[in-house]
Structure formats: C-alpha cells, structure tokens
mmCIF file of all heavy atoms in Angstrom:
data_model
loop_
_atom_site.group_PDB
_atom_site.id
_atom_site.type_symbol
_atom_site.label_atom_id
_atom_site.label_comp_id
_atom_site.label_asym_id
_atom_site.label_seq_id
_atom_site.Cartn_x
_atom_site.Cartn_y
_atom_site.Cartn_z
ATOM 1 N N ASP A 1 0.858 -1.182 0.000
ATOM 2 C CA ASP A 1 0.000 0.000 0.000
ATOM 3 C C ASP A 1 0.902 1.243 0.000
ATOM 4 O O ASP A 1 1.303 1.751 1.033
ATOM 5 C CB ASP A 1 -0.911 -0.005 1.231
ATOM 6 C CG ASP A 1 -1.930 1.133 1.211
ATOM 7 O OD1 ASP A 1 -1.756 2.090 0.435
ATOM 8 O OD2 ASP A 1 -2.895 1.060 1.982
ATOM 9 N N VAL A 2 1.242 1.733 -1.216
ATOM 10 C CA VAL A 2 2.219 2.806 -1.349
ATOM 11 C C VAL A 2 1.770 4.059 -0.617
ATOM 12 O O VAL A 2 2.559 4.710 0.065
ATOM 13 C CB VAL A 2 2.469 3.113 -2.845
ATOM 14 C CG1 VAL A 2 3.396 4.318 -2.994
ATOM 15 C CG2 VAL A 2 3.067 1.896 -3.535
ATOM 16 N N ALA A 3 0.513 4.423 -0.744
ATOM 17 C CA ALA A 3 0.033 5.649 -0.095
ATOM 18 C C ALA A 3 0.219 5.572 1.413
ATOM 19 O O ALA A 3 0.626 6.539 2.052
ATOM 20 C CB ALA A 3 -1.433 5.889 -0.442
ATOM 21 N N LEU A 4 -0.067 4.405 1.989
ATOM 22 C CA LEU A 4 0.079 4.239 3.438
ATOM 23 C C LEU A 4 1.540 4.366 3.847
ATOM 24 O O LEU A 4 1.867 5.041 4.815
ATOM 25 C CB LEU A 4 -0.462 2.869 3.861
ATOM 26 C CG LEU A 4 -0.294 2.522 5.342
ATOM 27 C CD1 LEU A 4 -1.068 3.480 6.229
ATOM 28 C CD2 LEU A 4 -0.731 1.087 5.607
ATOM 29 N N ARG A 5 2.440 3.729 3.084
ATOM 30 C CA ARG A 5 3.850 3.776 3.457
ATOM 31 C C ARG A 5 4.401 5.195 3.351
ATOM 32 O O ARG A 5 5.211 5.626 4.143
ATOM 33 C CB ARG A 5 4.687 2.851 2.567
ATOM 34 C CG ARG A 5 4.285 1.390 2.616
ATOM 35 C CD ARG A 5 4.156 0.858 4.020
ATOM 36 N NE ARG A 5 5.360 1.025 4.812
ATOM 37 C CZ ARG A 5 5.449 0.684 6.085
ATOM 38 N NH1 ARG A 5 4.407 0.216 6.721
ATOM 39 N NH2 ARG A 5 6.580 0.848 6.741
ATOM 40 N N ARG A 6 3.945 5.953 2.324
ATOM 41 C CA ARG A 6 4.426 7.323 2.159
ATOM 42 C C ARG A 6 4.072 8.172 3.373
ATOM 43 O O ARG A 6 4.820 9.047 3.767
ATOM 44 C CB ARG A 6 3.822 7.951 0.902
ATOM 45 C CG ARG A 6 4.481 7.504 -0.389
ATOM 46 C CD ARG A 6 3.773 8.124 -1.567
ATOM 47 N NE ARG A 6 4.418 7.748 -2.824
ATOM 48 C CZ ARG A 6 3.865 7.932 -4.009
ATOM 49 N NH1 ARG A 6 2.676 8.473 -4.111
ATOM 50 N NH2 ARG A 6 4.505 7.583 -5.098
ATOM 51 N N VAL A 7 2.907 7.900 3.943
ATOM 52 C CA VAL A 7 2.476 8.684 5.106
ATOM 53 C C VAL A 7 3.135 8.176 6.373
ATOM 54 O O VAL A 7 3.668 8.926 7.167
ATOM 55 C CB VAL A 7 0.937 8.642 5.247
ATOM 56 C CG1 VAL A 7 0.505 9.293 6.551
ATOM 57 C CG2 VAL A 7 0.290 9.360 4.073
ATOM 58 N N ARG A 8 3.112 6.854 6.564
ATOM 59 C CA ARG A 8 3.566 6.280 7.833
ATOM 60 C C ARG A 8 5.053 6.438 8.061
ATOM 61 O O ARG A 8 5.489 6.809 9.145
ATOM 62 C CB ARG A 8 3.220 4.788 7.880
ATOM 63 C CG ARG A 8 1.772 4.500 8.219
ATOM 64 C CD ARG A 8 1.588 3.010 8.420
ATOM 65 N NE ARG A 8 2.472 2.509 9.461
ATOM 66 C CZ ARG A 8 2.804 1.224 9.602
ATOM 67 N NH1 ARG A 8 2.334 0.343 8.758
ATOM 68 N NH2 ARG A 8 3.598 0.837 10.578
ATOM 69 N N GLU A 9 5.848 6.145 7.034
ATOM 70 C CA GLU A 9 7.287 6.086 7.275
ATOM 71 C C GLU A 9 7.868 7.423 7.737
ATOM 72 O O GLU A 9 8.541 7.469 8.751
ATOM 73 C CB GLU A 9 8.002 5.550 6.037
ATOM 74 C CG GLU A 9 7.691 4.077 5.812
ATOM 75 C CD GLU A 9 8.425 3.494 4.628
ATOM 76 O OE1 GLU A 9 9.272 4.190 4.046
ATOM 77 O OE2 GLU A 9 8.135 2.356 4.275
ATOM 78 N N PRO A 10 7.606 8.534 7.029
ATOM 79 C CA PRO A 10 8.167 9.792 7.542
ATOM 80 C C PRO A 10 7.569 10.199 8.886
ATOM 81 O O PRO A 10 8.277 10.696 9.757
ATOM 82 C CB PRO A 10 7.790 10.804 6.444
ATOM 83 C CG PRO A 10 7.561 9.984 5.232
ATOM 84 C CD PRO A 10 6.972 8.695 5.734
ATOM 85 N N GLU A 11 6.268 9.982 9.076
ATOM 86 C CA GLU A 11 5.629 10.419 10.319
ATOM 87 C C GLU A 11 6.152 9.646 11.517
ATOM 88 O O GLU A 11 6.365 10.204 12.593
ATOM 89 C CB GLU A 11 4.108 10.239 10.217
ATOM 90 C CG GLU A 11 3.426 11.335 9.416
ATOM 91 C CD GLU A 11 1.935 11.315 9.610
ATOM 92 O OE1 GLU A 11 1.426 10.376 10.246
ATOM 93 O OE2 GLU A 11 1.273 12.248 9.123
ATOM 94 N N GLU A 12 6.350 8.359 11.353
ATOM 95 C CA GLU A 12 6.783 7.537 12.471
ATOM 96 C C GLU A 12 8.300 7.473 12.588
ATOM 97 O O GLU A 12 8.832 6.849 13.487
ATOM 98 C CB GLU A 12 6.209 6.121 12.328
ATOM 99 C CG GLU A 12 4.687 6.094 12.425
ATOM 100 C CD GLU A 12 4.126 4.690 12.300
ATOM 101 O OE1 GLU A 12 4.915 3.721 12.324
ATOM 102 O OE2 GLU A 12 2.907 4.558 12.181
ATOM 103 N N GLY A 13 8.998 8.119 11.661
ATOM 104 C CA GLY A 13 10.450 8.147 11.749
ATOM 105 C C GLY A 13 11.100 6.821 11.479
ATOM 106 O O GLY A 13 12.094 6.472 12.106
ATOM 107 N N LEU A 14 10.559 6.049 10.536
ATOM 108 C CA LEU A 14 11.162 4.761 10.211
ATOM 109 C C LEU A 14 11.275 4.601 8.704
ATOM 110 O O LEU A 14 10.638 5.296 7.932
ATOM 111 C CB LEU A 14 10.348 3.612 10.798
ATOM 112 C CG LEU A 14 8.942 3.341 10.225
ATOM 113 C CD1 LEU A 14 8.998 2.267 9.136
ATOM 114 C CD2 LEU A 14 7.995 2.896 11.320
ATOM 115 N N TYR A 15 12.126 3.681 8.296
ATOM 116 C CA TYR A 15 12.156 3.229 6.912
ATOM 117 C C TYR A 15 12.507 1.752 6.942
ATOM 118 O O TYR A 15 12.886 1.201 7.985
ATOM 119 C CB TYR A 15 13.147 4.024 6.071
ATOM 120 C CG TYR A 15 14.600 3.722 6.337
ATOM 121 C CD1 TYR A 15 15.284 2.752 5.607
ATOM 122 C CD2 TYR A 15 15.312 4.402 7.326
ATOM 123 C CE1 TYR A 15 16.614 2.475 5.856
ATOM 124 C CE2 TYR A 15 16.650 4.130 7.572
ATOM 125 C CZ TYR A 15 17.291 3.168 6.834
ATOM 126 O OH TYR A 15 18.613 2.880 7.072
ATOM 127 N N LEU A 16 12.371 1.083 5.798
ATOM 128 C CA LEU A 16 12.577 -0.352 5.743
ATOM 129 C C LEU A 16 13.752 -0.702 4.836
ATOM 130 O O LEU A 16 13.832 -0.224 3.704
ATOM 131 C CB LEU A 16 11.307 -1.039 5.255
ATOM 132 C CG LEU A 16 10.152 -0.884 6.259
ATOM 133 C CD1 LEU A 16 8.830 -1.108 5.591
ATOM 134 C CD2 LEU A 16 10.332 -1.824 7.419
ATOM 135 N N ALA A 17 14.661 -1.499 5.352
ATOM 136 C CA ALA A 17 15.835 -1.956 4.608
ATOM 137 C C ALA A 17 15.632 -3.431 4.265
ATOM 138 O O ALA A 17 15.464 -4.262 5.161
ATOM 139 C CB ALA A 17 17.097 -1.768 5.444
ATOM 140 N N GLU A 18 15.667 -3.731 2.968
ATOM 141 C CA GLU A 18 15.370 -5.088 2.507
ATOM 142 C C GLU A 18 16.635 -5.762 1.997
ATOM 143 O O GLU A 18 17.330 -5.211 1.144
ATOM 144 C CB GLU A 18 14.330 -5.019 1.385
ATOM 145 C CG GLU A 18 13.868 -6.372 0.897
ATOM 146 C CD GLU A 18 12.838 -6.250 -0.213
ATOM 147 O OE1 GLU A 18 12.428 -5.125 -0.536
ATOM 148 O OE2 GLU A 18 12.452 -7.306 -0.749
ATOM 149 N N SER A 19 16.933 -6.921 2.537
ATOM 150 C CA SER A 19 18.059 -7.801 2.209
ATOM 151 C C SER A 19 19.205 -7.572 3.181
ATOM 152 O O SER A 19 19.420 -6.449 3.655
ATOM 153 C CB SER A 19 18.562 -7.617 0.771
ATOM 154 O OG SER A 19 19.470 -6.558 0.668
ATOM 155 N N PRO A 20 19.972 -8.617 3.477
ATOM 156 C CA PRO A 20 21.120 -8.481 4.378
ATOM 157 C C PRO A 20 22.131 -7.435 3.909
ATOM 158 O O PRO A 20 22.712 -6.720 4.718
ATOM 159 C CB PRO A 20 21.725 -9.884 4.384
ATOM 160 C CG PRO A 20 20.567 -10.786 4.118
ATOM 161 C CD PRO A 20 19.704 -10.033 3.137
ATOM 162 N N LYS A 21 22.342 -7.338 2.593
ATOM 163 C CA LYS A 21 23.315 -6.366 2.083
ATOM 164 C C LYS A 21 22.889 -4.935 2.409
ATOM 165 O O LYS A 21 23.690 -4.109 2.850
ATOM 166 C CB LYS A 21 23.480 -6.529 0.568
ATOM 167 C CG LYS A 21 24.489 -5.549 -0.030
ATOM 168 C CD LYS A 21 24.630 -5.732 -1.529
ATOM 169 C CE LYS A 21 25.394 -6.980 -1.853
ATOM 170 N NZ LYS A 21 25.704 -7.107 -3.291
ATOM 171 N N VAL A 22 21.614 -4.622 2.179
ATOM 172 C CA VAL A 22 21.119 -3.275 2.448
ATOM 173 C C VAL A 22 21.099 -3.002 3.952
ATOM 174 O O VAL A 22 21.428 -1.899 4.401
ATOM 175 C CB VAL A 22 19.730 -3.079 1.822
ATOM 176 C CG1 VAL A 22 19.126 -1.740 2.244
ATOM 177 C CG2 VAL A 22 19.823 -3.136 0.297
ATOM 178 N N ILE A 23 20.727 -3.998 4.737
ATOM 179 C CA ILE A 23 20.747 -3.836 6.195
ATOM 180 C C ILE A 23 22.164 -3.534 6.667
ATOM 181 O O ILE A 23 22.385 -2.657 7.502
ATOM 182 C CB ILE A 23 20.191 -5.104 6.882
ATOM 183 C CG1 ILE A 23 18.700 -5.276 6.567
ATOM 184 C CG2 ILE A 23 20.403 -5.030 8.398
ATOM 185 C CD1 ILE A 23 18.135 -6.621 6.989
ATOM 186 N N GLU A 24 23.129 -4.245 6.111
ATOM 187 C CA GLU A 24 24.527 -4.007 6.480
ATOM 188 C C GLU A 24 24.942 -2.576 6.146
ATOM 189 O O GLU A 24 25.604 -1.899 6.944
ATOM 190 C CB GLU A 24 25.438 -4.992 5.756
ATOM 191 C CG GLU A 24 26.908 -4.824 6.106
ATOM 192 C CD GLU A 24 27.795 -5.822 5.388
ATOM 193 O OE1 GLU A 24 27.306 -6.514 4.465
ATOM 194 O OE2 GLU A 24 28.984 -5.908 5.735
ATOM 195 N N ARG A 25 24.550 -2.083 4.978
ATOM 196 C CA ARG A 25 24.908 -0.714 4.591
ATOM 197 C C ARG A 25 24.241 0.307 5.504
ATOM 198 O O ARG A 25 24.831 1.341 5.827
ATOM 199 C CB ARG A 25 24.534 -0.469 3.129
ATOM 200 C CG ARG A 25 25.461 -1.188 2.169
ATOM 201 C CD ARG A 25 25.194 -0.856 0.722
ATOM 202 N NE ARG A 25 26.195 -1.496 -0.120
ATOM 203 C CZ ARG A 25 26.178 -1.482 -1.442
ATOM 204 N NH1 ARG A 25 25.218 -0.835 -2.082
ATOM 205 N NH2 ARG A 25 27.126 -2.084 -2.142
ATOM 206 N N ALA A 26 23.008 0.024 5.900
ATOM 207 C CA ALA A 26 22.318 0.934 6.818
ATOM 208 C C ALA A 26 23.040 1.007 8.160
ATOM 209 O O ALA A 26 23.235 2.088 8.722
ATOM 210 C CB ALA A 26 20.876 0.478 7.011
ATOM 211 N N LEU A 27 23.457 -0.143 8.656
ATOM 212 C CA LEU A 27 24.170 -0.178 9.941
ATOM 213 C C LEU A 27 25.533 0.505 9.826
ATOM 214 O O LEU A 27 25.949 1.227 10.734
ATOM 215 C CB LEU A 27 24.330 -1.621 10.404
ATOM 216 C CG LEU A 27 23.022 -2.348 10.748
ATOM 217 C CD1 LEU A 27 23.283 -3.831 10.990
ATOM 218 C CD2 LEU A 27 22.346 -1.725 11.957
ATOM 219 N N ARG A 28 26.220 0.303 8.706
ATOM 220 C CA ARG A 28 27.515 0.969 8.500
ATOM 221 C C ARG A 28 27.364 2.491 8.448
ATOM 222 O O ARG A 28 28.280 3.226 8.817
ATOM 223 C CB ARG A 28 28.159 0.470 7.210
ATOM 224 C CG ARG A 28 28.813 -0.887 7.328
ATOM 225 C CD ARG A 28 29.502 -1.242 6.031
ATOM 226 N NE ARG A 28 30.153 -2.545 6.106
ATOM 227 C CZ ARG A 28 30.747 -3.133 5.078
ATOM 228 N NH1 ARG A 28 30.766 -2.528 3.893
ATOM 229 N NH2 ARG A 28 31.325 -4.311 5.219
ATOM 230 N N ALA A 29 26.212 2.937 7.952
ATOM 231 C CA ALA A 29 25.947 4.378 7.883
ATOM 232 C C ALA A 29 25.575 4.957 9.243
ATOM 233 O O ALA A 29 25.350 6.158 9.363
ATOM 234 C CB ALA A 29 24.842 4.661 6.868
ATOM 235 N N GLY A 30 25.487 4.090 10.259
ATOM 236 C CA GLY A 30 25.182 4.563 11.600
ATOM 237 C C GLY A 30 23.709 4.611 11.926
ATOM 238 O O GLY A 30 23.316 5.169 12.960
ATOM 239 N N HIS A 31 22.866 4.021 11.075
ATOM 240 C CA HIS A 31 21.433 4.025 11.333
ATOM 241 C C HIS A 31 21.084 2.949 12.370
ATOM 242 O O HIS A 31 21.695 1.879 12.396
ATOM 243 C CB HIS A 31 20.654 3.767 10.049
ATOM 244 C CG HIS A 31 20.886 4.823 9.005
ATOM 245 N ND1 HIS A 31 20.163 4.894 7.844
ATOM 246 C CD2 HIS A 31 21.758 5.873 8.960
ATOM 247 C CE1 HIS A 31 20.582 5.921 7.122
ATOM 248 N NE2 HIS A 31 21.550 6.517 7.776
#
C-alpha cells in the first residue's frame, strides 16, 4: 500500500531496509 507507506514512514520516523546487504549498509551508515 504505497500511499500508506508514504504517510507512515516519515511520520513515524522509520524506513525499511530489505536484504542483508542493504541492512549491512544501513548499519555501516550509523542508522
């Protein structure tokens, strides 16, 4: 549900990282 995610993610201060590689990059960036 793209419309829901566009509203929820910025408002709740979260985003979603998909796959171990992307999760690793997010953690390396200090997130």
Side-chain angles (χ1 to χ4, degrees):
D1 186 344
V2 175
L4 176 63
R5 300 310 304 177
R6 282 177 178 166
V7 172
R8 281 188 57 199
E9 291 182 6
E11 281 194 353
E12 295 181 10
L14 68 95
Y15 73 92
L16 294 160
E18 184 180 355
S19 84
K21 180 180 287 187
V22 173
I23 294 169
E24 181 179 11
R25 287 185 175 175
L27 294 171
R28 282 184 180 175
H31 298 189

